[in-house]
Amino acid sequence: MGRLKMQYNRILAMGDIHGRFDRLSSVFNKIKFGSKDFLILLGDYVDRGNENLHCLQWAMRISKLPNVVALRGNHEQMMLYYYLLGTYESTIWLPNGGKYTKAEMDEWIKTDPDFLNEALKFIDKRPYYYRTFIDGQEYIFCHAGLKPGVSLENQSVESILWIREEFYNGYNGTAEVVVGHTPTPYLGSVPGVDIKDRYYPIRLPNKITMIDTGSFLPKGRISCVDVISGQVWQSDD
Ligand SMILES: [Mn+2]
């Protein structure tokens, strides 16, 4: 458990990237990230985009910094299982955008045969969540969400990486939770929330901030939020 206190000026969270290196560069240049910032990546670096492995490689590099945490998304989990195991996730990776990542990997390892192993090792070491306290307020960062009524320590991997409606409709905990996974353009109307831009992070009344703004969609964006000030940066359209 981290206690970031105010040793950092900004606590930044970045949502789903999905292989759009152009959008990643766009938003990352805007935030002007430095040593006084703490950055949490919410996972889903790969799949559906056209530069999936460059995005994964970027996450592999930047996560070596002491002030960066790169979490695991369900797409990294599917990729890991595809290459290493023979379980359900293995069969669903390719049709869920993994076919683009797989095709890139087939080419990439012709000139850099170690990369597949390095990528899988990186994914295998990704944490499922990051929890911290800022001025006494608990914050939980994870890819998809939490099962309501279950403590963080008892959450299943399935919930943290895949949960949707049950979480954002049913969560009533005291911790602020910052997630990606469910693209904001796919959310219907939310009681009490006036949505003007469907490709913008949404803050729900029950302490949830959703920042997957549909990076893989034609009009989608990658979003980064400072959870202290609420300021938002997004990739160019
Ligand atoms: Mn995603």
Side-chain angles (χ1 to χ4, degrees):
M1 186 191 306
R3 284 179 187 275
L4 300 178
K5 296 187 182 164
M6 292 318 291
Q7 63 196 97
Y8 295 105
N9 292 338
R10 298 182 297 179
I11 309 296
L12 303 166
M14 187 185 292
D16 298 37
I17 295 166
H18 283 302
R20 287 298 298 260
F21 196 76
D22 53 342
R23 289 174 172 166
L24 172 60
S25 305
S26 172
V27 68
F28 192 70
N29 287 337
K30 287 182 189 181
I31 63 176
K32 303 196 187 310
F33 181 70
S35 59
K36 292 277 192 182
D37 301 314
F38 193 85
L39 174 64
I40 299 132
L41 307 171
L42 297 179
D44 279 10
Y45 314 104
V46 296
D47 296 352
R48 299 198 173 112
N50 56 349
E51 292 178 275
N52 299 288
L53 295 184
H54 280 123
C55 293
L56 185 64
Q57 190 182 43
W58 175 85
M60 290 164 76
R61 283 180 181 153
I62 198 167
S63 68
K64 289 179 179 153
L65 294 173
N67 53 331
V68 175
V69 172
L71 297 176
R72 184 185 312 223
N74 62 315
H75 282 262
E76 283 76 53
Q77 188 86 334
M78 286 189 280
M79 179 178 174
L80 185 68
Y81 283 14
Y82 174 85
Y83 283 107
L84 295 187
L85 302 170
T87 51
Y88 176 64
E89 280 89 345
S90 311
T91 64
I92 61 175
W93 183 52
L94 296 180
N96 275 287
K99 62 181 175 184
Y100 302 104
T101 309
K102 167 76 162 50
E104 284 176 29
M105 186 62 84
D106 291 346
E107 278 303 305
W108 192 300
I109 57 179
K110 286 178 186 169
T111 54
D112 183 6
D114 294 335
F115 186 68
L116 175 58
N117 242 328
E118 289 163 11
L120 297 180
K121 259 191 241 168
F122 169 76
I123 294 172
D124 194 40
K125 282 190 275 185
R126 289 314 89 213
Y128 289 100
Y129 63 83
Y130 183 78
R131 170 199 247 174
T132 192
F133 287 84
I134 303 167
D135 289 339
Q137 170 63 53
E138 181 182 11
Y139 283 81
I140 297 169
F141 302 82
C142 64
H143 181 64
L146 306 169
K147 192 175 178 73
V150 177
S151 69
L152 182 59
E153 294 74 16
N154 289 315
Q155 293 288 328
S156 68
V157 166
E158 175 82 15
S159 293
I160 285 184
L161 295 183
W162 291 93
I163 199 165
R164 295 191 199 271
E165 294 87 349
E166 187 183 2
F167 165 60
Y168 52 77
N169 292 334
Y171 176 74
N172 64 353
T174 54
E176 293 276 349
V177 190
V178 183
V179 298
H181 187 55
T182 300
T184 52
Y186 293 174
L187 280 180
S189 62
V190 182
V193 180
D194 181 21
I195 300 171
K196 294 189 180 73
D197 180 350
R198 302 213 66 88
Y199 299 89
Y200 200 81
I202 294 177
R203 183 162 161 77
L204 302 179
N206 54 346
K207 294 193 172 240
I208 294 171
T209 305
M210 306 185 72
I211 66 170
D212 174 4
T213 46
S215 177
F216 63 92
L217 298 170
K219 293 166 68 183
R221 301 176 196 136
I222 298 173
S223 295
C224 190
V225 177
D226 176 4
V227 303
I228 298 171
S229 70
Q231 191 174 349
V232 172
W233 297 262
Q234 296 195 288
S235 57
D236 289 328
D237 291 337

